[in-house]
Amino acid sequence: FLHTLCSCLSQSMAAWDLSVKVEDLGPDAPSVTISVASDLHVGGVILKLVEKTQMQRDWSDHALWWEQKHQWLLRTAWTLEKYGIHADARLLFMPQHKPLKLGLPNGKTVMLRACFSNPVFQTVMGICRMLNIRHPEELSLLRPVEEKKKKKDKDLTEEIYDLTEVPLSSVSRPCLYNGMPAHFADSEQSEGVYKMLSVTQPPPAPEVIAKQYRPASVVDKSHIHGRWLDSSRCLMQQNIQENDRLWLRFKYYSFYDIEPKYDVVRLTQLYEQARWAILLEDIDCTEEEMMLFGALQYHINKVALSEPQMMSSNAALDDLESALQSLEVKMEGESSSASDLLVAWILILNPMLVHFRPKRLTLKGYKQYWFKFQDTSISYFKSKEESIGEPIQQINLKGCEVAPDVNVAAQKFLIRLLIPAPEGMNEVYLRCENEQQYAQWMAGCRLASKGKSLADSSFQSEIQSIRSFLAMQKTNSGSSNNSAASDESINTHSLVSPRYHKKYKPKQLTPRILDAYQNVAQLSLTDALMRFLQIWQALPDFGLSYVVVRFKGSRKDEVLGIAPNRLIRIDLGVGDVVKTWRYNNMKQWNVNWDIKQMAIEFEGNVNIAFGCVTADCKIVHEFIGGYIFMSTRSREKSDTLNEELFHKLTGGHEAL
């Protein structure tokens, strides 16, 4: 026995040859062969390699990549035996940071050094630190969609902004110099890159819009959402090579703690992503909303030209903010005494509303009821006389979703409510008679959804906010300001989606966009950007990512819509929302990785299971876990990112 053991030990410690391809020697150079033993650790292998190459350089960023296993050997204290490496292993010795072409939300391309060995989540954190974008957890990388190419001409002359010489910082908030991170202040070229990142781009030419890929259906959108990279695995493991092109985009539509003075790049790129979503009809909006989006783009471009340094941090802004906060505290104290009168007033103010529980294909119309608003609930009765008795139904709005469906020109003022129910969500519409009634009831519904009563101090400011939103959608036909503005050159086809290029000539669009422009012309650049994002976020389909799935027991494909706070089951045939499930009613979700099936359990013994058709189920798993992670963020820990929790919620196999 001892003889056998000794012979085994001597064999394991015996020297054998290991061939390693060293990238720095060139693609045609032969592999470097070194003599190793199974008990040699990875660090020792690297040391032998460096000595044998006899190249004088900084090797600190280099590591070994195991081709057959698709794995980096980053644990340098592990032995070859522990990794399971034998003489037939194909190893590459190369830098962990490599050049990557990155398509930004504003359509520009930067070349930078990204980490190819860390999980994509950490790689994105490094990229965002370099670009000065806070809250990198909201962004990720995806494989790009090819543009329509007619001839090999202008595509070759695309401008690429080179950041490969900028070092990746480990500091979460970089030092500022003249309002920009210090690493951009080194040269005129790098300052130019920062300007590109932080200043909004001019409206694109209509032919540029036409050249972009436009999803024609929900299924097309689902194919795009299937291109997201896996956050738990590194770029090399996902077959991304040096100099490849990827897109950096906001993936999770849960934008936390936007501070214009710190978030110059983040706010600009978020606006650009929203703008392109509107122009490429990635999200539906009404014609009236499109004219308002066009007017805001026109105004933002105009103001950006006159205000190049738009939002750098300064003491005056801080003083203004603290003054506003103290004013808010003072107002809260003054308004509380009148709260009882406020409640009594709203209960009897314009209570005749119209109530409807819709199905798109139903023939039933709206019915008129007498409504009362109390605390966080609304009750409805057949008539005013019956309102002293029991209501037909009382609906608690706490935790519900409130969305506007408004067309001022057509005098359409609808409030869409999605109310939590054990089997999903019930959809209810309230139709108001006029603007005043709509503003009050919409404000009440929004407060109630957050668990606040009408006595809350923010009720009046909520009404005012809604009124200003409605005012922006009003046209100013015949106003004297219009004639002055219409003299300016305005390429309207750069401001609206291609659908309106076909429907209207530029001279028909100009007065409509300039009418809407009168309502936003006084906004500062920051306010205009924030207003654009607010209106985008208020659209019914905002924040939805789509995946084609096959539900267990079903014989047809359906679409799963993934939103920041809910999942939506959509019938592919008619486009109807069949069912809605909220995350806060979710008890657990599991993935069977062998059969690629996802199972989710909700409160009330509701269980669903489905397989994914247009994306890996890891993408859906990551979306759900990611959104749950986003909801755990708090102001106290705003600057510290809990990577471990994100990985636990989204990692799947890798998190185990």
Side-chain angles (χ1 to χ4, degrees):
F1 171 75
L2 283 171
H3 175 73
T4 311
L5 183 63
C6 289
S7 64
C8 288
L9 282 169
S10 63
Q11 282 173 16
S12 70
M13 301 311 167
W16 46 275
D17 286 347
L18 180 66
S19 292
V20 181
K21 191 95 175 163
V22 179
E23 195 177 82
D24 295 68
L25 296 176
D28 302 323
S31 297
V32 174
T33 303
I34 54 173
S35 179
V36 298
S38 296
D39 62 343
L40 182 65
H41 52 73
V42 170
V45 173
I46 292 173
L47 195 62
K48 286 196 171 198
L49 275 173
V50 169
E51 286 171 353
K52 190 135 187 191
T53 59
Q54 295 184 331
M55 288 174 69
Q56 296 298 314
R57 55 157 303 162
D58 181 3
W59 296 97
S60 60
D61 188 46
H62 282 59
L64 289 164
W65 168 256
W66 189 359
E67 273 192 32
Q68 294 106 314
K69 292 277 186 180
H70 239 52
Q71 179 185 358
W72 286 93
L73 308 182
L74 298 176
R75 298 177 190 268
T76 52
W78 278 26
T79 62
L80 295 175
E81 187 176 37
K82 191 165 184 178
Y83 265 119
I85 290 171
H86 304 289
D88 61 347
R90 290 199 305 275
L91 298 181
L92 249 81
F93 186 53
M94 58 184 175
Q96 297 173 63
H97 289 82
K98 296 165 175 281
L100 188 70
K101 288 190 194 116
L102 211 57
L104 300 174
N106 65 357
K108 300 295 180 183
T109 301
V110 294
M111 176 83 92
L112 45 71
R113 289 194 177 276
C115 184
F116 276 64
S117 61
N118 279 343
V120 163
F121 185 72
Q122 290 178 3
T123 299
V124 171
M125 286 175 68
I127 290 168
C128 288
R129 270 196 299 269
M130 180 190 283
L131 302 180
N132 197 25
I133 298 174
R134 292 194 316 139
H135 296 292
E137 67 275 13
E138 296 167 1
L139 298 95
S140 195
L141 300 171
L142 73 160
R143 292 180 172 87
V145 178
E146 291 72 29
E147 295 176 354
K148 301 172 191 169
K149 291 185 181 178
K150 292 181 181 176
K151 289 179 183 176
K152 293 180 181 177
D153 49 3
K154 294 178 184 175
D155 290 353
L156 301 172
T157 60
E158 179 198 26
E159 184 179 6
I160 294 178
Y161 294 83
D162 191 356
L163 288 173
T164 49
E165 298 306 312
V166 176
L168 283 166
S169 165
S170 59
V171 183
S172 61
R173 189 177 285 181
C175 300
L176 296 183
Y177 177 80
N178 281 348
M180 73 178 83
H183 57 257
F184 283 110
D186 291 343
S187 66
E188 273 189 38
Q189 183 210 358
S190 55
E191 280 189 25
V193 177
Y194 189 72
K195 187 178 178 186
M196 174 275 293
L197 292 168
S198 58
V199 177
T200 57
Q201 297 299 308
E207 55 270 23
V208 173
I209 299 173
K211 196 174 70 168
Q212 303 292 321
Y213 173 76
R214 283 202 320 280
S217 65
V218 174
V219 175
D220 286 350
K221 292 175 188 176
S222 72
H223 283 290
I224 295 174
H225 296 141
R227 292 170 174 264
W228 288 106
L229 294 189
D230 187 334
S231 292
S232 310
R233 297 163 72 219
C234 71
L235 292 175
M236 287 287 285
Q237 287 172 321
Q238 300 179 70
N239 298 315
I240 307 299
Q241 302 299 319
E242 183 175 336
N243 292 317
D244 275 1
R245 185 186 179 88
L246 292 173
W247 281 354
L248 178 72
R249 294 289 186 272
F250 289 88
K251 176 180 179 179
Y252 298 102
Y253 293 86
S254 178
F255 313 121
Y256 185 69
D257 185 32
I258 292 182
E259 286 278 0
K261 59 186 175 183
Y262 300 128
D263 290 324
V264 183
V265 179
R266 183 182 177 211
L267 187 55
T268 302
Q269 296 302 323
L270 188 52
Y271 159 73
E272 293 286 356
Q273 186 164 326
R275 186 238 291 256
W276 279 105
I278 300 293
L279 291 178
L280 299 179
E281 295 166 8
D282 193 35
I283 185 168
D284 290 332
C285 66
T286 64
E287 192 169 305
E288 199 173 36
E289 285 163 341
M290 182 61 81
M291 298 307 138
L292 182 52
F293 282 127
L296 279 164
Q297 288 176 75
Y298 173 62
H299 177 61
I300 286 165
N301 183 52
K302 206 171 164 189
V303 181
L305 293 172
S306 59
E307 277 183 47
Q309 284 302 313
M310 51 181 181
M311 294 170 287
S312 59
S313 174
N314 60 49
L317 269 174
D318 296 337
D319 292 344
L320 177 63
E321 194 174 302
S322 59
L324 284 170
Q325 283 175 348
S326 62
L327 179 65
E328 194 178 324
V329 170
K330 189 181 172 192
M331 285 176 71
E332 278 183 21
E334 289 171 356
S335 62
S336 59
S337 59
S339 60
D340 295 337
L341 288 170
L342 188 63
V343 177
W345 171 66
I346 191 69
L347 283 175
I348 56 168
L349 183 71
N350 294 330
M352 282 299 282
L353 286 167
V354 184
H355 168 271
F356 183 43
R357 191 184 306 276
K359 289 268 183 196
R360 277 190 200 175
L361 302 177
T362 186
L363 298 173
K364 288 183 181 178
Y366 286 89
K367 287 185 180 179
Q368 203 166 37
Y369 293 98
W370 182 268
F371 268 77
K372 284 170 89 172
F373 212 131
Q374 198 159 10
D375 294 328
T376 60
S377 299
I378 51 175
S379 308
Y380 63 97
F381 308 82
K382 277 190 177 178
S383 65
K384 183 180 178 180
E385 290 70 36
E386 293 186 19
S387 65
I388 52 173
E390 285 294 309
I392 298 169
Q393 189 182 0
Q394 185 178 50
I395 304 168
N396 189 350
L397 301 184
K398 189 174 180 180
C400 81
E401 282 178 46
V402 186
D405 187 356
V406 173
N407 185 329
V408 178
Q411 288 293 291
K412 172 187 166 189
F413 302 103
L414 292 182
I415 300 170
R416 179 171 169 259
L417 302 173
L418 276 171
I419 295 151
E423 71 284 357
M425 302 278 277
N426 290 331
E427 196 173 29
V428 172
Y429 276 75
L430 304 177
R431 190 170 71 192
C432 304
E433 292 174 1
N434 51 48
E435 276 181 50
Q436 185 184 11
Q437 191 184 58
Y438 170 80
Q440 289 159 353
W441 278 81
M442 186 66 173
C445 290
R446 280 183 181 169
L447 288 181
S449 71
K450 298 170 189 170
K452 297 178 181 179
S453 75
L454 302 171
D456 193 85
S457 59
S458 60
F459 179 60
Q460 285 299 334
S461 60
E462 191 71 53
I463 290 177
Q464 201 52 48
S465 167
I466 293 162
R467 280 181 177 158
S468 65
F469 176 78
L470 294 174
M472 285 171 63
Q473 293 200 28
K474 287 184 184 173
T475 56
N476 293 303
S477 307
S479 68
S480 57
N481 298 338
N482 210 14
S483 55
S486 60
D487 293 338
E488 300 173 34
S489 60
I490 170 171
N491 188 351
T492 50
H493 280 183
S494 294
L495 304 171
V496 295
S497 65
R499 182 188 305 176
Y500 298 97
H501 300 182
K502 296 170 187 169
K503 193 172 179 181
Y504 298 111
K505 293 175 182 173
K507 63 181 181 182
Q508 293 173 298
L509 284 170
T510 302
R512 295 189 63 186
I513 288 176
L514 288 173
D515 273 344
Y517 167 68
Q518 301 305 317
N519 297 311
V520 299
Q522 305 308 314
L523 293 176
S524 69
L525 183 54
T526 308
D527 288 344
L529 289 170
M530 294 297 279
R531 191 62 57 91
F532 191 99
L533 295 176
Q534 284 165 1
I535 299 167
W536 173 53
Q537 288 173 287
L539 296 175
D541 294 337
F542 166 77
L544 282 173
S545 302
Y546 301 98
V547 181
V548 176
V549 299
R550 177 74 63 92
F551 279 90
K552 193 176 180 181
S554 175
R555 292 185 177 181
K556 61 179 183 178
D557 288 349
E558 293 174 81
V559 173
L560 185 76
I562 307 165
N565 55 357
R566 67 193 189 281
L567 296 174
I568 300 166
R569 184 175 181 173
I570 301 167
D571 187 308
L572 255 179
V574 289
D576 259 3
V577 174
V578 179
K579 206 63 112 177
T580 305
W581 303 280
R582 289 172 68 92
Y583 299 145
N584 59 9
N585 291 335
M586 191 188 290
K587 290 175 79 174
Q588 63 173 351
W589 79 97
N590 301 296
V591 181
N592 185 327
W593 299 105
D594 297 327
I595 60 170
K596 302 286 184 187
Q597 190 179 74
M598 195 151 190
I600 308 175
E601 183 187 347
F602 295 92
E603 290 171 1
N605 294 324
V606 176
N607 292 281
I608 62 170
F610 54 84
C612 300
V613 179
T614 56
D616 194 291
C617 58
K618 172 66 165 73
I619 288 179
V620 178
H621 169 66
E622 201 171 292
F623 260 118
I624 294 171
Y627 275 127
I628 289 170
F629 173 79
M630 300 299 152
S631 69
T632 65
R633 295 178 294 180
S634 64
R635 240 172 224 291
E636 296 76 45
K637 299 176 181 175
S638 185
D639 284 333
T640 55
L641 186 57
N642 190 340
E643 281 182 62
E644 190 184 348
L645 179 61
F646 182 89
H647 199 51
K648 276 181 181 173
L649 289 168
T650 63
H653 274 317
E654 286 81 4
L656 297 174

